[in-house]
Amino acid sequence: MKNLDKYLSLLGEQVDGLLLTSRYSRHYGAEFDIAEGVAIVSKKGCRYFTDSRYIEAAQNGIRDFEVLMTDREHPYSQLLNEAIADFGITALGYEENYLTVAEFNEYVADLNAKLIPMHTEISGFRHVKEPWELDIIRQAQAMADKAFSEVLTRIKAGMTEKELQAEIIYCLYKNGGEGLSFDPIVVSGPNTSLPHGVATDRVIREGDFVTMDFGLMLQGYCSDMTRTVAIGYATDEMKKVYNTVLQAQLAGIAATRAGVKGKEVDAAARKVIADAGYGEYFGHGYGHGLGMEVHEAPNCNPSGNTVMQPGMVTSAEPGIYLPGKFGVRIEDVVIFTADGCENITKSPKDLIII
Ligand code: ZN
Ligand code: ZN
């Protein structure tokens, strides 16, 4: 089924048009990524508006929408009203999670159609990925795995967290990344107890853990992975915590299959950490959905009530964080299948000591 047909299936008595403002839904509906623009979908016609910076790419790449240019004389609201009149639209479903208050107020004042919040319905189609989307995500993750194998040859005691962060970014782009899923997280030594710490000028030393969490963008889709390595040596306590996190992740992956709820996957991993006595040091969820956004529904966390379906993609990232001492996180990305999952992150997970 074409993505546009999924959007068209939302049209009926409640709304007879959709206003797509987020980059994600425009990309999804048009199956082509344009950084800025607005699109309108109806059964009588679909139009895609963007400005002079993107118009040529949009006209070349977008098939199922009429592509028109906005400029000072033709603001989005005017072009939208023309479409509303031409297609006889009375009520537009819009993405309340992706509009500023100012934009919303402007549309309410200017548009000749009622606005109905429909973020949940519009974004819901993205939970189960199409085969072509899975191919891009697999490819993005393979590039990140390759980048990580190169990063491993560059990590050295004496470099700062920021210097290592720069090496990671370089390797991600060099291996085909078109952007970053997020600023890479690089933390070392006692900073590794900060799950989402920011890279600092701290010098990496012998006996440190170094946690690296990073991802690249490819054709508008994200990869995401985390590895924790030791520099020089690891104490028995470091090894014990590392192996507990690894066993928790493997337990989560073993519980991953279509038909279970996200929270059941989380619970399988969380039990391993709790049984080892570290329950209070695993504060975040086991996994989040990802695709066009690095964090999107559905989640595998303690409140994850979604029954997982084949084609859903989530991270698998338990962690243990001991304040003032050190922390460990290991993160892969998995695709849910009918009887299990496909782990698309191939980098090794046994403790690497550099
Ligand atoms: Zn991550
Ligand atoms: Zn993640």
Side-chain angles (χ1 to χ4, degrees), residues 116-134:
I116 311 284
M118 285 186 74
H119 163 73
T120 306
E121 293 85 344
I122 292 170
S123 68
F125 292 119
R126 291 200 277 123
H127 296 180
V128 174
K129 271 66 180 173
E130 294 288 347
W132 61 268
E133 296 182 280
L134 295 175

Side-chain angles (χ1 to χ4, degrees), residues 192 209 211 228 238 241-242 245 318-321 326-330:
T192 50
F209 264 146
T211 297
T228 301
M238 287 164 73
V241 169
Y242 187 93
V245 173
I320 294 174
Y321 310 93
F326 61 81
V328 172
R329 179 167 66 260
I330 304 167

Side-chain angles (χ1 to χ4, degrees), residues 46 49 76 82 85 104 110 130 137 165 169 173 199 202 219 224 228-229 242-243 249 299 313 349:
C46 301
F49 311 114
Y76 284 126
E82 285 168 13
F104 175 74
D110 293 346
E130 294 288 347
I137 297 169
Q165 183 187 40
I169 292 170
Y173 277 100
R202 183 183 184 278
Q219 296 171 48
D224 189 10
T228 301
V229 302
Y242 187 93
N243 286 321
Q249 196 216 33
N299 292 308
V313 179
K349 291 189 285 197

Side-chain angles (χ1 to χ4, degrees), residues 244-253 255 262-288 299-304 316-321:
T244 304
V245 173
L246 180 55
Q247 291 311 313
Q249 196 216 33
L250 296 176
I253 290 171
K263 64 182 177 189
E264 295 173 61
V265 179
D266 178 280
R270 199 166 295 278
K271 180 174 186 309
V272 173
I273 290 175
D275 287 352
Y278 295 110
E280 64 184 296
Y281 303 110
F282 175 25
H284 57 77
Y286 165 84
H288 55 84
N299 292 308
C300 294
N301 61 28
S303 49
E317 53 176 309
I320 294 174
Y321 310 93

Side-chain angles (χ1 to χ4, degrees), residues 49-335:
F49 311 114
T50 189
D51 64 48
S52 61
R53 295 170 297 171
Y54 308 105
I55 192 70
E56 189 181 349
Q59 282 171 337
N60 289 338
I62 294 174
R63 293 279 156 270
D64 301 317
F65 291 65
E66 190 185 344
V67 178
L68 298 172
M69 191 169 89
T70 182
D71 55 29
R72 275 181 203 84
E73 287 74 47
H74 305 89
Y76 284 126
S77 53
Q78 182 187 325
L79 296 171
L80 286 166
N81 273 334
E82 285 168 13
I84 287 166
D86 291 347
F87 303 145
I89 295 168
T90 57
L92 275 172
Y94 77 100
E95 302 177 89
E96 70 274 19
N97 285 36
Y98 297 109
L99 270 189
T100 65
V101 174
E103 287 166 338
F104 175 74
N105 287 339
E106 211 176 298
Y107 282 140
V108 167
D110 293 346
L111 297 188
N112 300 323
K114 210 161 49 164
L115 289 173
I116 311 284
M118 285 186 74
H119 163 73
T120 306
E121 293 85 344
I122 292 170
S123 68
F125 292 119
R126 291 200 277 123
H127 296 180
V128 174
K129 271 66 180 173
E130 294 288 347
W132 61 268
E133 296 182 280
L134 295 175
D135 283 344
I136 297 171
I137 297 169
R138 280 189 195 98
Q139 211 184 326
Q141 186 54 55
M143 288 174 174
D145 276 322
K146 174 96 186 325
F148 181 64
S149 70
E150 291 179 20
V151 167
L152 283 177
T153 67
R154 292 163 181 261
I155 302 175
K156 296 200 169 43
M159 74 197 304
T160 66
E161 293 173 354
K162 280 184 182 170
E163 285 166 348
L164 178 54
Q165 183 187 40
E167 297 287 353
I168 292 171
I169 292 170
Y170 171 75
C171 291
L172 290 171
Y173 277 100
K174 186 165 154 272
N175 282 283
E178 298 168 351
L180 302 172
S181 304
F182 51 90
D183 280 340
I185 293 166
V186 178
V187 284
S188 66
N191 293 349
T192 50
S193 70
L194 308 167
H196 272 196
V198 174
T200 69
D201 291 321
R202 183 183 184 278
V203 175
I204 296 168
R205 296 195 295 252
E206 296 256 313
D208 279 352
F209 264 146
V210 177
T211 297
M212 295 157 280
D213 187 347
F214 53 91
L216 61 79
M217 302 285 303
L218 182 68
Q219 296 171 48
Y221 288 80
C222 299
S223 75
D224 189 10
M225 66 179 285
T226 306
R227 288 294 182 270
T228 301
V229 302
I231 308 298
Y233 64 91
T235 63
D236 288 344
E237 188 188 21
M238 287 164 73
K239 287 179 187 164
K240 182 181 176 215
V241 169
Y242 187 93
N243 286 321
T244 304
V245 173
L246 180 55
Q247 291 311 313
Q249 196 216 33
L250 296 176
I253 290 171
T256 297
R257 65 178 178 281
V260 304
K261 288 183 176 174
K263 64 182 177 189
E264 295 173 61
V265 179
D266 178 280
R270 199 166 295 278
K271 180 174 186 309
V272 173
I273 290 175
D275 287 352
Y278 295 110
E280 64 184 296
Y281 303 110
F282 175 25
H284 57 77
Y286 165 84
H288 55 84
L290 73 157
M292 289 179 180
E293 292 175 274
V294 71
H295 293 138
E296 62 182 37
N299 292 308
C300 294
N301 61 28
S303 49
N305 277 315
T306 302
V307 177
M308 305 304 286
Q309 298 174 49
M312 287 181 166
V313 179
T314 72
S315 68
E317 53 176 309
I320 294 174
Y321 310 93
L322 306 176
K325 287 172 115 178
F326 61 81
V328 172
R329 179 167 66 260
I330 304 167
E331 176 182 28
D332 291 345
V333 169
V334 300
I335 300 170

